[in-house]
Amino acid sequence: MCELLASMSIMSWPNFWRRRKRILATAALTLLVIVHASGWRQFTLLTLLDNALYDLRLGLAMPRTLDERVVIIDVDERSLGRLGQWPWDRARIARLVDELTQRQQVAVLGMDLVFAETDRSSALDLLQRLAREDLRHDADFVRWLAHTDSDLDNDAVLARALARGPTVLGYYFTGDRHGRRSGRLPPPVAVLDAWPPGALAWDGYGANIPRLAQAAKGAGFFNSVVYLDGTVRTVPLLAAFDDGLYESLALAMLRVGQGQPPLLVQFGQGSAAGELQGLKIGAGPRVPLNKRGTVWVPFRGPGGPQGGSFRYFSAVDVLDGTLPAGSLRGRYALLGSTAPGLMDLRAVPVSQAYPGVEIHANVISALLDGRLLLRPSDERAWNVLLLLALGAVLSLGLPMLRVTHALALSLVVAAALLIGNTALFLSARIVLPLADGLVFVLAALAMNQVFDHLAKHRARRALAEQFASYVPPELVRQMEQDPERYDMQARAQEMTVMFCDLDGFTSRAETLEPLALQSLLNNVLSRLTHVIRAHGGTIDKYMGDCLMAFWGAPVSQPEHARLAIQSAIDMGAALIQFNAEQIAAGHPAVGASIGLNTGLMAVGNMGSDVRRAYTVIGDAVNLAARLESLASVYRVDIVVSEATMRHLAGAGHIWQELDRVCVKGKTQAVSIYTIRAAPGGLTPNLAEELDRWRQSLPLWRAGRFIEFSAQISALKECNPGFYLYQLYSERVAACLRNPPGPDWDGIALFDDK
């Protein structure tokens, strides 16, 4: 440390002037982070990182102990297996309520579910529907039905059970259902004169039917707050709706369990006038609130029946009466579900599949202990002041220090931030941002190291110059804009690769003079290369009259398959124009066979110490080469794999499946396709032809050769110039002469490369 301070003491005006760019750059970085910390402009990555650091601290601080005061009545898979699918009829739920409130004598029973509609499984409902539908019933039956015992009405049975015990129903608020409202809300806990600034906004709700809502002792909403990464970290204790404040399920249960003490809501004053700041339950301690009305959930453990935080009791066991009477006396009981099919599992900081009902259990436990986490309302101001102090130290310190001393200073500052923040979290349960400061320290250090290592920048330029030997100049220019993203190291990546071979060129080479052959080949390959480059492709190599290209590297191209197939189509158009010139000059036309495949392949600088090339290798590359050779077999210009075709499923191209083949080097068969028309080019005749072909292929693969022969004959008449139908006509004739064995599957085997 003494050496570090001595190193900083060498600061002088000449040193300051030479390093002014680094000092100004660090100061600018300070302002950038402050923009995020102040809330003026939020950076998603910083927010996600701060959430991740919060999750880490929360996981370290969890007590991982059992709280006997709160229990969960679990509608688990075993209960569903025994008692049938959810929802159960209200009479059964009424028995469950009576068992818990009367025989087990829980302090309160909260239900993490909504009874939004009447029970249509009750006997009364069935009789009423029967009476409405069967007009032959006489008036005496209708009069009897009107005065029948209410025990036939499951909703009435449940309402009486709710009224007999300390029960709290759940409901939810919505902000995305166009203000739809159903059921009956409980009375608000407070009437609002004005909307609380920053409070969560809702415009609709889904609540319980009136007869049940009136019978319960209370009701609370069970909404949670889902963050950008889909994780639940906070839940609202109070929610503003219309002109009232409503309490959450956990808060309503706590109050009912404690005899419904009065609830005092605290609002801010001065600059925070009207904001939600806290609440008091009777004479209990103050519960701090975020201005949104939310609290951070202090999870006790990993969650679930085996998580060790709360006792779980299967609903079927409770209904069977296997628990001795009074076993749950005085407990806060929550009725919910851990069955995956009921969709009440949430992603939380401590688990990706956490029972939603246990979130409420954690809040109740924390309210009972007074151990809720607190994020101060002025935490942004404190964070900005901290960043200003850090900016002053690092802006003046890092540029003046050698590399090792700058690293030491950064580590000391980062460690102080981490230790101080964690100490506040663990001891005072105060949640303050951590990512802003840590990222700023690391970013400032990294930026200063860039200034100290200009040689690395020159090395990156040299790397871009290396790529110029392998990729188009336009891609090299793009790489030079951000050279750090690219290197020559091999990596696995999903890409699309193309092989293109000029048909019949080998035989023509035997009749042409070398200079004429060179001119012809260069002319054709140049035109095809221009098309590939126009669509962002990288030319891998030329192999005589064959070229190989790929899309997806070194510059990332999410639509590599689309670019490749469009290149193939445009290459065909370029050859049409070239052949028109050839024929006009009295020369024969040139054809091309193209094979395309999409898949995972290795890309990088590969070769020997003497010579290397930026290329792609792998099974997906080999398959593309095999597909190119199959184009001449099926006499089509383009053959693509199923993987490539599926990448273009929404592009509108008109595809025709050619066959299922097993090529050399592959043990599994693949489906191959060709393009019959560009997007928008489907005619009625072509649609009818392709539909008949799709109906014919299953006959071929099922070995129903006579039926297939009739279909293929019709297709030949429909399109006599399409060789595919002639090929299959010859195949089926051979099969009829010599029927294949019982293992026939219609797959064509190609053992040649």
Side-chain angles (χ1 to χ4, degrees):
M1 181 60 71
C2 293
E3 186 180 357
L4 175 61
L5 295 175
S7 178
M8 293 182 65
S9 68
I10 65 172
M11 186 182 299
S12 62
W13 176 251
N15 286 335
F16 180 87
W17 182 252
R18 284 198 303 270
R19 293 169 173 81
R20 67 188 184 280
K21 291 184 179 179
R22 295 171 59 184
I23 294 172
L24 291 175
T26 309
L29 182 62
T30 306
L31 294 177
L32 186 63
V33 180
I34 286 175
V35 165
H36 169 81
S38 65
W40 186 71
R41 176 68 181 273
Q42 293 280 294
F43 302 122
T44 303
L45 285 179
L46 272 178
T47 301
L48 293 175
L49 178 59
D50 197 57
N51 290 338
L53 290 172
Y54 166 81
D55 296 347
L56 179 62
R57 286 172 288 169
L58 181 65
L60 294 174
M62 291 191 305
R64 300 178 186 272
T65 57
L66 180 66
D67 187 346
E68 295 280 8
R69 299 167 299 179
V70 184
V71 297
I72 294 173
I73 312 303
D74 188 8
V75 181
D76 54 7
E77 291 184 337
R78 189 163 67 89
S79 299
L80 296 177
R82 277 273 308 278
L83 303 177
Q85 67 181 15
W86 187 264
W88 296 335
D89 64 73
R90 304 284 163 80
R92 177 177 292 160
I93 297 176
R95 293 198 303 273
L96 183 60
V97 171
D98 277 336
E99 170 67 20
L100 291 167
T101 60
Q102 305 305 311
R103 186 167 176 267
Q104 295 300 330
Q105 299 179 13
V106 297
V108 60
L109 171 61
M111 300 192 182
D112 186 22
L113 49 92
V114 180
F115 301 105
E117 298 177 348
T118 59
D119 187 350
R120 298 187 179 277
S121 66
S122 66
L124 180 59
D125 185 76
L126 293 174
L127 288 172
Q128 288 174 337
R129 279 187 285 166
L130 180 63
R132 288 194 299 269
E133 294 168 5
D134 191 352
L135 301 179
R136 292 173 297 175
H137 282 280
D138 57 24
D140 290 337
F141 175 78
V142 175
R143 283 194 296 273
W144 172 83
L145 183 62
H147 296 89
T148 189
D149 194 320
S150 61
D151 282 344
L152 294 176
D153 184 351
N154 287 349
D155 286 327
V157 173
L158 178 56
R160 291 197 298 272
L162 293 173
R164 281 193 291 267
T167 54
V168 175
L169 296 180
Y171 63 92
Y172 58 89
F173 286 115
T174 62
D176 57 355
R177 298 198 311 163
H178 309 292
R180 287 195 299 166
R181 307 178 180 195
S182 63
R184 174 175 295 181
L185 286 180
V189 295
V191 177
L192 294 173
D193 296 326
W195 188 268
L200 293 173
W202 317 98
D203 61 5
Y205 60 81
N208 299 279
I209 60 175
R211 70 193 313 182
L212 299 182
Q214 292 171 348
K217 297 297 187 296
F221 61 85
F222 46 70
N223 296 74
S224 57
V225 178
V226 180
Y227 283 65
L228 288 174
D229 56 0
T231 302
V232 174
R233 295 181 178 87
T234 61
V235 296
L237 283 188
L238 293 176
F241 182 78
D242 286 348
D243 58 353
L245 279 177
Y246 294 83
E247 59 186 337
S248 70
L249 178 63
L251 184 56
M253 286 181 61
L254 186 71
R255 293 182 62 222
V256 171
Q258 295 180 350
Q260 294 189 320
L263 183 67
L264 175 63
V265 182
Q266 299 173 338
F267 296 92
Q269 303 295 328
S271 61
E275 291 182 359
L276 292 171
Q277 288 198 341
L279 57 85
K280 283 179 66 68
I281 305 170
R286 176 180 180 272
V287 178
L289 294 177
N290 182 282
K291 67 180 179 180
R292 305 174 77 191
T294 61
V295 293
W296 296 77
V297 182
F299 294 94
R300 298 184 62 89
Q306 307 304 320
S309 299
F310 306 97
R311 291 200 186 278
Y312 277 73
F313 296 91
S314 178
V316 68
D317 292 338
V318 176
L319 276 169
D320 287 347
T322 57
L323 295 179
S327 298
L328 305 181
R329 182 180 291 110
R331 311 288 179 85
Y332 289 80
L334 275 156
L335 175 61
S337 174
T338 61
L342 297 188
M343 305 298 289
D344 194 30
L345 298 177
R346 303 285 185 266
V348 301
V350 298
S351 174
Q352 290 301 304
Y354 195 89
V357 65
E358 194 167 336
I359 296 176
H360 308 302
N362 279 282
V363 176
I364 294 172
S365 176
L367 287 171
L368 289 170
D369 292 336
R371 58 178 183 86
L372 283 169
L373 300 170
L374 168 65
R375 193 155 198 167
S377 57
D378 54 357
E379 54 92 8
R380 282 186 175 174
W382 283 107
N383 198 27
V384 169
L385 290 175
L386 175 63
L387 290 172
L388 285 172
L390 290 176
V393 171
L394 298 181
S395 295
L396 298 177
L398 291 179
M400 301 299 174
L401 297 175
R402 293 190 294 271
V403 173
T404 54
H405 292 157
L407 179 60
L409 174 62
S410 300
L411 290 177
V412 168
V413 173
L417 275 175
L418 187 59
I419 293 172
N421 192 291
T422 304
L424 283 173
F425 186 92
L426 296 177
S427 61
R429 310 194 67 78
I430 294 177
V431 182
L432 290 175
L434 179 57
D436 302 351
L438 287 180
V439 168
F440 169 63
V441 172
L442 295 176
L445 174 65
M447 186 177 62
N448 278 273
Q449 297 314 301
V450 170
F451 280 96
D452 275 340
H453 298 85
L454 293 178
K456 293 182 179 179
H457 176 68
R458 290 193 294 270
R460 289 193 295 271
R461 287 296 302 271
L463 179 67
E465 292 173 1
Q466 276 186 297
F467 270 113
S469 304
Y470 310 121
V471 300
E474 55 269 23
L475 291 185
V476 173
R477 288 192 293 270
Q478 183 177 344
M479 292 166 63
E480 287 178 340
Q481 302 302 315
D482 190 7
E484 296 155 347
R485 293 177 52 192
Y486 310 102
D487 58 42
M488 308 291 282
Q489 297 297 317
R491 66 184 186 276
Q493 185 170 326
E494 185 186 63
M495 302 166 59
T496 298
V497 64
M498 168 195 287
F499 283 84
C500 175
D501 189 25
L502 300 178
D503 295 337
F505 209 86
T506 302
S507 59
R508 292 192 62 185
E510 298 174 354
T511 61
L512 290 175
E513 293 294 330
L515 290 179
L517 174 65
Q518 180 188 43
S519 175
L520 177 62
L521 185 60
N522 289 348
N523 191 354
V524 176
L525 292 181
S526 293
R527 297 191 186 206
L528 300 183
T529 298
H530 289 316
V531 172
I532 292 172
R533 285 190 168 187
H535 292 285
T538 298
I539 299 295
D540 187 301
K541 60 178 70 72
Y542 300 100
M543 300 162 287
D545 60 350
C546 178
L547 68 83
M548 174 183 172
F550 56 83
W551 285 260
V555 177
S556 177
Q557 295 166 312
E559 295 187 326
H560 48 82
R562 183 189 62 80
L563 293 171
I565 198 65
Q566 193 57 50
S567 294
I569 294 172
D570 291 350
M571 288 164 67
L575 279 178
I576 291 175
Q577 181 179 354
F578 174 79
N579 286 329
E581 299 170 5
Q582 288 287 99
I583 293 171
H587 302 304
V590 175
S593 300
I594 296 175
L596 288 169
N597 184 37
T598 300
L600 194 66
M601 54 195 76
V603 58
N605 201 22
M606 303 179 191
S608 67
D609 294 338
V610 177
R611 182 180 179 185
R612 297 185 181 184
Y614 189 75
T615 186
V616 290
I617 61 173
D619 187 59
V621 180
N622 298 335
L623 178 58
R626 305 289 185 269
L627 298 185
E628 178 273 314
S629 65
L630 293 182
S632 59
V633 174
Y634 295 89
R635 297 187 188 179
V636 293
D637 296 332
I638 302 171
V639 175
V640 305
S641 67
E642 184 175 9
T644 302
M645 187 273 293
R646 292 197 180 281
H647 270 72
L648 299 163
H653 298 91
I654 310 304
W655 300 95
Q656 181 170 7
E657 183 177 359
L658 298 174
D659 207 346
R660 279 188 62 77
V661 302
C662 189
V663 299
K664 185 177 180 62
K666 295 281 288 184
T667 58
Q668 293 184 339
V670 295
S671 296
I672 58 174
Y673 297 79
T674 192
I675 291 182
R676 291 298 305 274
L682 183 64
T683 64
N685 289 340
L686 179 57
E688 182 180 355
E689 176 188 341
L690 293 179
D691 186 61
R692 181 183 290 271
W693 174 246
R694 280 190 289 268
Q695 297 176 28
S696 301
L697 271 182
L699 300 175
W700 168 253
R701 290 167 182 166
R704 296 160 62 179
F705 300 125
I706 296 177
E707 298 171 69
F708 179 74
S709 179
Q711 291 284 355
I712 208 68
S713 298
L715 284 166
K716 286 173 62 179
E717 293 178 4
C718 173
N719 190 352
F722 194 44
Y723 175 73
L724 178 68
Y725 306 139
Q726 176 63 34
L727 173 65
Y728 272 92
S729 179
E730 295 170 0
R731 285 182 177 181
V732 73
C735 289
L736 288 172
R737 287 193 303 270
N738 298 299
D743 58 346
W744 167 264
D745 54 12
I747 295 174
L749 302 178
F750 293 92
D751 294 329
D752 298 331
K753 291 186 177 180

